[in-house]
Amino acid sequence: MKKDFSRATLCVQGGWTPKNGEPRVLPIYQSTTFKYDTSEQMAKLFDLEESGYFYTRLQNPTNDAVASKIAALEGGVGAMLTSSGQAANFYAIFNICEAGDHFVCSSTIYGGTYNLFGVTLKKLGVECTFVNPDDSEEEISKAFRPNTKALFGETISNPSIDVLDIEKFARIAHKHGVPLIVDNTFATPINCRPFEWGADIVTHSTTKYMDGHATCVGGAIVDSGNFDWEAHADKFPGLTLPDESYHGLTYTKAFGKMAYITKATAQLMRDLGSIQSPQNAFLLNLGLETLHLRVPRHCQNAQKVAEYLEANKKVAWVNYCGLKSSKYYDLAQKYLPNGSCGVIAFGLKGKREDAIKFMDSLKLACIVTHVADARTCVLHPASHTHRQLTDEQLIEAGVAPDLIRLSVGIEDVNDIIADIEQALSKI
Ligand SMILES: *Cc1c(COP(=O)(O)O)cnc(C)c1O
């Protein structure tokens, strides 16, 4: 599949090109293991001397096809699927950080990632400093230390819908000799390709728009191949020094631009094993086939709903970067000119009980712990996804205690607005 096909074509046909007589549709290789004629052939695979399949924890043809579709969509050199978005973000950091290391992260990120980075990674000896992404380059630079190994942010933050100044973040990261890792879950490569703005690694919770139908939890890491690990060899010994578990092979020497993603697969996935099942990869692929059709519809619907909410007297505030009133409107125009995402954050006038009454009165939009699928849904982060955070941490994470997160689906927008209207009339 040619890399220069448009994203729409890659969505439909990327990753799997059947040969003569092979299935037109990507098959599910529902097999843990793969057969070889000689033990020598198998041994070469174990030594990473040859590429091939031997055990699904390391690689599986269905997963690889879907990973290469995602890599092509992002414009990267390689990708790896993971069992969840959480696993993707964990591996993305852990692939270059070990005990004693440090990284810097935007404070306005998904609550699960905030916990992973701030609490769980700390227990493994990896420290994270959270910074306000809207601060100046000088201010953010103050968080860097000699042992800092990465900078991390979300293209569009979940749930606050802030837009990341990717070029600014890339400049800061590169000035300090570390890669920029961007979680591109909400924007998807249909609306933004962070590599084009200087990001080095992209992660995804494929659970959201990529799957798009709320059927499978999954994640992905994509490598741009652009970061020069050798130029900062002392910072990244895991990539630039021999790996004894592969007879002293050095990833940067053996795999060049594929060093980072190969290490993530051959070492982290081998040892930690958070693989996506081939069944789920198959379903993810079905979702990806229509990503380029669904994403614009989500954005069009969300724009109309955001405008409706903004004009409503019962609504205290609306944060949607497609609105001119948004603090992030200009950044959205720059990085997301074709639309941002289907998720809107807003608050109602009145008390917390009014927000709950409103949500309970919705009929078409359901209360679910999910976002970014075909069906309109709604959530109150302070009492659901982010309930483990203190009020102080909530505000630091850009989540106002009254924030309602509305994930606008691809139904008829008039029906969605009518549902919101009848629920607002109850308060
Ligand atoms: C949901 C989400 C995650 C976590 O992904 P899971 O697939 O639920 O593990 C990470 N980042 C962002 C931006 C998300 O929205």
Side-chain angles (χ1 to χ4, degrees):
M1 195 75 193
K2 281 197 314 207
K3 272 247 160 73
D4 56 359
F5 276 124
S6 83
R7 278 168 264 190
T9 304
L10 292 170
C11 278
V12 184
Q13 292 214 24
W16 171 245
T17 310
K19 297 190 197 74
N20 191 39
E22 284 188 342
R24 183 71 185 95
V25 175
L26 172 66
I28 308 173
Y29 286 85
Q30 193 65 47
S31 182
T32 58
T33 194
F34 301 83
K35 175 247 173 196
Y36 289 90
D37 288 339
T38 69
S39 83
E40 200 198 329
Q41 280 176 308
M42 180 92 105
K44 283 192 173 140
L45 300 179
F46 269 98
D47 284 350
L48 300 183
E49 278 175 19
E50 276 177 17
S51 65
Y53 298 100
F54 53 103
Y55 192 56
T56 284
R57 170 150 45 74
L58 283 110
Q59 278 187 303
N60 172 282
T62 307
N63 290 25
D64 279 4
V66 180
S68 75
K69 175 180 282 191
I70 294 172
L73 282 169
E74 287 286 6
V77 294
M80 175 176 88
L81 299 187
T82 58
S83 56
S84 67
Q86 286 298 109
N89 284 329
F90 172 57
Y91 282 37
I93 292 292
F94 205 59
N95 204 29
I96 46 174
C97 288
E98 56 186 45
D101 286 343
H102 168 260
F103 66 105
V104 179
C105 181
S106 160
S107 62
T108 57
I109 53 165
Y110 174 67
T113 313
Y114 194 91
N115 255 312
L116 167 66
F117 290 176
V119 180
T120 299
L121 276 177
K122 199 170 177 178
K123 292 180 188 161
L124 295 174
V126 177
E127 249 199 281
C128 175
T129 302
F130 292 104
V131 293
N132 178 345
D134 297 333
D135 277 351
S136 68
E137 284 185 53
E138 293 68 39
E139 202 56 41
I140 294 172
S141 291
K142 286 184 193 153
F144 283 73
R145 308 173 187 168
N147 62 341
T148 301
K149 301 296 167 73
L151 177 61
F152 186 101
E154 289 177 4
T155 313
I156 305 171
S157 63
N158 176 7
S160 52
I161 323 298
D162 299 352
V163 178
L164 186 72
D165 189 341
I166 304 172
E167 279 191 318
K168 177 178 85 176
F169 261 54
R171 265 196 312 276
I172 299 169
H174 297 157
K175 200 170 73 189
H176 293 88
V178 304
L180 171 61
I181 305 175
V182 171
D183 181 331
N184 198 33
T185 297
F186 269 22
T188 82
I190 300 302
N191 282 343
C192 179
R193 294 203 280 196
F195 296 156
E196 292 172 356
W197 303 100
D200 302 287
I201 307 294
V202 155
T203 61
H204 280 281
S205 165
T206 60
T207 318
K208 315 292 166 54
Y209 291 116
M210 282 191 167
D211 169 305
H213 302 78
T215 62
C216 302
V217 174
I221 304 177
V222 191
D223 188 352
S224 69
N226 292 335
F227 193 80
D228 190 349
W229 309 103
E230 289 278 359
H232 310 281
D234 54 319
K235 278 194 202 293
F236 305 105
L239 285 159
T240 59
L241 292 179
D243 179 350
E244 292 316 322
S245 70
Y246 285 113
H247 304 305
L249 164 149
T250 300
Y251 292 99
T252 46
K253 293 204 173 68
F255 301 105
K257 279 182 172 297
M258 297 281 285
Y260 174 94
I261 202 71
T262 305
K263 176 176 179 286
T265 308
Q267 191 191 71
L268 289 192
M269 197 55 97
R270 176 196 65 189
D271 294 353
L272 298 170
S274 321
I275 56 160
Q276 188 163 130
S277 78
Q279 283 275 352
N280 282 3
F282 174 83
L283 291 169
L284 168 58
N285 188 50
L286 290 184
L288 287 167
E289 288 183 4
T290 57
L291 186 69
H292 61 300
L293 299 176
R294 291 182 288 105
V295 165
R297 175 64 175 250
H298 279 288
C299 296
Q300 287 152 18
N301 281 0
Q303 183 70 31
K304 288 192 185 134
V305 171
E307 285 166 10
Y308 166 83
L309 287 170
E310 192 168 48
N312 193 292
K313 288 193 189 65
K314 291 182 179 171
V315 176
W317 56 272
V318 184
N319 190 8
Y320 184 66
C321 52
L323 292 175
K324 289 224 168 71
S325 59
S326 164
K327 184 177 159 190
Y328 297 99
Y329 181 77
D330 291 338
L331 283 177
Q333 292 301 304
K334 174 174 174 179
Y335 293 110
L336 307 152
N338 299 322
S340 52
C341 65
V343 185
I344 299 169
F346 70 100
L348 295 176
K349 289 177 188 159
K351 300 200 179 66
R352 181 180 274 229
E353 299 81 73
D354 294 313
I356 290 166
K357 180 104 192 276
F358 164 76
M359 298 208 320
D360 291 353
S361 305
L362 289 164
K363 295 192 170 81
L364 190 66
C366 296
I367 301 172
V368 298
T369 307
H370 199 246
V371 281
D373 76 74
R375 287 156 286 256
T376 298
C377 59
V378 69
L379 183 94
H380 183 223
S383 42
H384 304 138
T385 45
H386 287 59
R387 61 181 298 125
Q388 65 278 47
L389 302 190
T390 63
D391 270 9
E392 207 173 50
Q393 284 173 322
L394 270 179
I395 288 163
E396 199 192 353
V399 183
D402 65 341
L403 183 151
I404 294 171
R405 185 180 72 183
L406 179 67
S407 173
V408 180
I410 55 175
E411 305 92 341
D412 187 315
V413 70
N414 295 318
D415 291 332
I416 299 170
I417 291 175
D419 188 36
I420 295 170
E421 193 157 67
Q422 66 79 24
L424 284 173
S425 76
K426 305 278 161 48
I427 60 170

